[in-house]
Amino acid sequence: MKIGKIFGIEITVSLSWLFVFALVAWSIASDFGPLRGIALAPGQRVLLGAIASLLFFASVLLHELAHSLLARKRGVPVRGITLFIFGGVSTFEGEPRSAPTEAWISAVGPLASLVLGLGFWGLALALGPSSAIGLVISYLAFANIVLAIFNILPAFPLDGGRVLHALVWRATGDRLRATRIAANIGAVLAGGLIVYGIGVTLLTGFGGGLWTTFIGWFLLQAGNAERRQSELQGALVGHVASELTAPTTPRVPADATVERAFATMRETQTRVLPVYLGERFIGFVAIDDLAKLPPDQFPATYVTAIMTRLEATPTLAAGDDAREALAQMSRDGSQALAVVDAAGDLVGLITRESVLHWLSTRLSGATSKAVQPADAA
């Protein structure tokens, strides 16, 4: 759900964030929260809980804005900010070009949270830490300081994991090696959180450490995904977009029905098919497009009604860096990229399947070379 722009940066709120909003509001308004010793009407508790939750929402947003604004200042385009159940994430259209830039962009978020925490703490002292509003502000001070400390832990995708990555990158001069080291350290930390959470749950009850276990699992999955992405980027060094394309056959003509396209996908085990009008490429149809249409409409619907047309298809030149293709698909969530030659004619489509096929072929070739017997002297 998009809620607007701040400094030209688009802000999106996931529906999962509503759970966090409700949890924070409840934790403050309930009899177990910071207001438990204050005589307040139920409506006042609910109001203070909602206000505190909104301020916490604003705190996380300011944390992410700090990342995004510094990234933009350092030449890294910012796509937007998304707030979700685990906090927030800033999405960049590209990566920092140097280790110091990555370190500063990553560190500024926890620094912003720390400044906010100290600011809230000073405000709570000024308002009276024993008053209802003072207790709520103290809670926000504590939450922001905990947010700063947690985010500086050395685990992907936390800010501390990226700072660690930048430091190892600077020390070794090898970005891929830095990713492996940072991901391995993060995996150990995530595993520790999972074990701790399970232990607390077994000792104190179902809910005691469940959230800690969930966070540990999330960090473990995210760190592994970061490592796989980095390794794939490393494998693409020195290669161009045209190498990643799938063959232009099988294809479907513009007058084909969705039923025919679906049959072709099943026969060829293909998820994306180019659509041609004669010998002219006019777009592509993906299995996800078919999924939006009821099966009983397949025979009466033409692929041109649901396909992604050429003018809406992201395009790369045949000689462009293969890593840019991967980055663009990741940024845009594209089902396919069209690769064209100097004359503008289609060379082929890059799909996730074609990238995986290229990678498996390359790895198979490397393995077969590795096991070849040595020549006799």
Side-chain angles (χ1 to χ4, degrees):
M1 178 174 63
K2 296 177 181 178
I3 62 173
K5 292 185 177 182
I6 300 178
F7 301 116
I9 299 171
E10 191 166 74
I11 312 299
T12 302
V13 177
S14 167
L15 291 178
S16 64
W17 176 257
L18 296 177
F19 172 77
V20 178
F21 180 89
L23 180 63
V24 172
W26 174 84
S27 66
I28 292 173
S30 72
D31 293 334
F32 305 99
L35 299 176
R36 59 185 176 274
I38 305 293
L40 293 170
Q44 292 175 315
R45 286 178 176 273
V46 171
L47 179 61
L48 285 173
I51 291 173
S53 194
L54 285 172
L55 288 173
F56 182 70
F57 169 93
S59 298
V60 175
L61 182 57
L62 287 171
H63 176 112
E64 294 303 326
L65 276 172
H67 288 308
S68 295
L69 292 175
L70 183 58
R72 192 164 66 181
K73 185 176 180 181
R74 294 295 181 95
V76 181
V78 178
R79 184 178 178 185
I81 293 172
T82 301
L83 300 178
F84 66 116
I85 191 169
F86 290 111
V89 61
S90 298
T91 305
F92 304 146
E93 295 183 351
E95 296 183 353
R97 297 182 179 180
S98 67
T101 297
E102 181 181 38
W104 278 112
I105 291 173
S106 302
V108 73
L111 181 60
S113 293
L114 181 61
V115 170
L116 282 170
L118 295 176
F120 277 126
W121 182 252
L123 181 60
L125 292 176
L127 293 172
S130 298
S131 65
I133 189 67
L135 287 169
V136 169
I137 298 299
S138 296
Y139 177 92
L140 289 169
F142 174 77
N144 274 280
I145 291 172
V146 169
L147 184 65
I149 294 172
F150 178 74
N151 269 279
I152 208 63
L153 293 177
F156 281 128
L158 299 179
D159 301 325
R162 301 195 182 281
V163 171
L164 173 64
H165 176 266
L167 294 175
V168 178
W169 178 15
R170 182 65 181 269
T172 63
D174 187 333
R175 188 169 193 158
L176 179 57
R177 183 183 177 191
T179 301
R180 292 196 191 101
I181 293 173
N184 288 338
I185 293 174
V188 172
L189 179 61
L193 288 174
I194 293 172
V195 171
Y196 172 78
I198 293 174
V200 170
T201 300
L202 293 175
L203 292 173
T204 64
F206 177 74
L210 188 61
W211 188 247
T212 303
T213 303
F214 198 24
I215 290 174
W217 174 84
F218 168 74
L219 293 178
L220 185 63
Q221 297 301 313
N224 288 336
E226 190 87 23
R227 175 167 44 197
R228 287 193 296 269
Q229 180 80 358
S230 179
E231 289 174 348
L232 182 53
Q233 288 279 4
L236 293 173
V237 172
H239 296 274
V240 296
S242 60
E243 297 179 59
L244 304 181
T245 58
T248 55
T249 55
R251 61 174 68 173
V252 291
D255 61 354
T257 63
V258 172
E259 183 177 47
R260 178 176 171 184
F262 183 52
T264 303
M265 288 180 180
R266 284 192 305 176
E267 291 168 5
T268 61
Q269 298 296 301
T270 304
R271 296 174 59 88
V272 179
L273 293 172
V275 180
Y276 276 76
L277 180 60
E279 291 300 315
R280 183 166 62 92
F281 170 72
I282 61 170
F284 69 87
V285 61
I287 191 69
D288 290 353
D289 300 322
L290 274 61
K292 300 173 185 176
L293 194 68
D296 60 357
Q297 295 184 21
F298 282 13
T301 305
Y302 291 102
V303 291
T304 49
I306 64 169
M307 73 179 188
T308 300
R309 297 185 177 277
L310 176 59
E311 54 270 20
T313 303
T315 303
L316 289 175
D320 284 350
D321 193 322
R323 290 173 295 178
E324 175 55 29
L326 189 67
Q328 187 167 335
M329 293 185 75
S330 178
R331 287 196 305 266
D332 303 337
S334 305
Q335 294 288 327
L337 299 177
V339 177
V340 297
D341 58 21
D345 296 325
L346 181 72
V347 174
L349 292 176
I350 297 178
T351 65
R352 289 174 174 80
E353 288 175 298
S354 70
V355 173
L356 290 174
H357 176 74
W358 176 87
L359 185 62
S360 64
T361 301
R362 180 175 171 79
L363 291 176
S364 297
T367 302
S368 62
K369 289 180 181 179
V371 298
Q372 283 179 355
D375 293 335

